Amino acid sequence: MTAVQGTAVDIPTEDGTADAYLAHPGDGRPRPAVLFYPDAYGLRPYLRSMADRLAAAGYTVLVPNVLYRHGRTPVVDLPEFIDPGVDPTLWERVGPLVRSLTPDRVERDAGAYLRRLADSPMVAAGPVAVTGYCMGARLSLLTAGTYPDRVAAAAGFHGGRLATETPDSPHLVAEHITAELYFGHADHDPSLPEEQIERLENALTAAGVRHRCEVYPGAQHGYTMADTPAYDREADERHWAALLDLLDRTF
């Protein structure tokens, strides 16, 4: 297995400084870049391990603290195993932070993250890929639509609110996307009901976006996150296969 080097980095943004985790193969050679958007629980040990696994496959991976406006990591104190059923106050603390991440903030921040990758000696020249989880899937879609000249592939897993009826819904950027997209939806996910899945599919098809959207049967919202009770090993391995296949086709 490829040795991986992971380091903490700071990224200047228009609104402050975002702390982040940067992982890359230890041989020091520049590699294709992947911007990795976390779920609502943010940058934490398990997400660093996911970034390391992706880096071991031959990529330079940046995982930003997207909630940096509210503090450095950990923005919210979390147990090693995150179970909202045990701590019902968790979403009272996390929810407002997630809602504060408006589309205009996402777009500004994405520009800063992409500039950081472009400036890194560990990143090969050319476009990047983006992947995101839960709320990060929304950020992945918005980034692909806002920076089509920089994003060659984008993925999202167990994403929520991807195609709402609001005027700032992420699916409305479809007409600007030039990347290839992949989405692995959770089954019976209340944050992404069937009508939103259909609306997203129709928007991507109408815009001529190369894409594949799949529902993972029986998988709950959060199925990739082994530090939560939603984890589903079979669905998680399916996610890894789909993501690496997308990256292989892109780079």
Side-chain angles (χ1 to χ4, degrees):
M1 187 174 181
T2 303
V4 168
Q5 182 177 345
T7 55
V9 297
D10 282 347
I11 304 170
T13 76
E14 293 183 34
D15 297 333
T17 301
D19 53 306
Y21 179 70
L22 183 71
H24 55 84
D27 59 12
R29 293 185 352 200
R31 302 300 180 104
V34 180
L35 174 56
F36 181 126
Y37 282 126
D39 62 357
Y41 299 133
L43 180 55
R44 59 191 189 279
Y46 185 66
L47 265 67
R48 292 184 182 92
S49 74
M50 291 178 71
D52 288 349
R53 178 170 174 173
L54 200 49
Y59 301 96
T60 293
V61 186
L62 180 68
V63 190
N65 166 21
V66 298
L67 301 176
Y68 69 88
R69 291 176 180 83
H70 303 278
R72 297 179 69 86
T73 301
V75 179
V76 175
D77 287 329
L78 297 168
E80 186 174 339
F81 187 78
I82 306 165
D83 187 350
V86 173
D87 181 5
T89 71
L90 182 58
W91 267 100
E92 294 176 11
R93 289 176 281 142
V94 172
L97 307 185
V98 173
R99 290 190 290 274
S100 74
L101 198 55
T102 57
D104 62 317
R105 287 182 169 182
V106 173
E107 292 167 9
R108 290 202 304 273
D109 291 348
Y113 306 149
L114 292 171
R115 286 192 295 274
R116 177 63 176 80
L117 286 170
D119 291 343
S120 172
M122 295 296 102
V123 172
V128 308
V130 187
T131 188
Y133 300 83
C134 297
M135 80 164 182
R138 176 172 65 91
L139 276 55
S140 180
L141 181 55
L142 286 170
T143 301
T146 307
Y147 299 93
D149 59 328
R150 293 286 295 123
V151 178
F157 299 92
H158 46 82
R161 299 186 58 78
L162 297 177
T164 69
E165 294 181 307
T166 61
D168 60 357
S169 176
H171 79 287
L172 297 176
V173 303
E175 62 182 321
H176 304 296
I177 293 174
T178 58
E180 180 180 351
L181 304 189
Y182 177 88
F183 287 96
H185 305 313
D187 198 8
H188 302 296
D189 186 345
S191 71
L192 195 75
E194 190 172 336
E195 61 267 22
Q196 286 197 42
I197 292 175
E198 184 177 352
R199 190 178 293 129
L200 175 63
E201 177 70 33
N202 290 342
L204 296 176
T205 299
V209 177
R210 291 168 298 150
H211 71 282
R212 186 174 183 183
C213 298
E214 299 181 313
V215 176
Y216 289 18
Q220 299 181 51
H221 181 82
Y223 61 76
T224 62
M225 299 296 156
D227 58 354
T228 77
Y231 183 66
D232 183 317
R233 181 177 299 277
E234 182 178 349
D236 183 34
E237 289 306 313
R238 181 176 175 182
H239 132 262
W240 279 110
L243 177 59
L244 292 172
D245 184 54
L246 176 66
L247 297 178
D248 285 344
R249 291 198 304 276
T250 304
F251 298 115

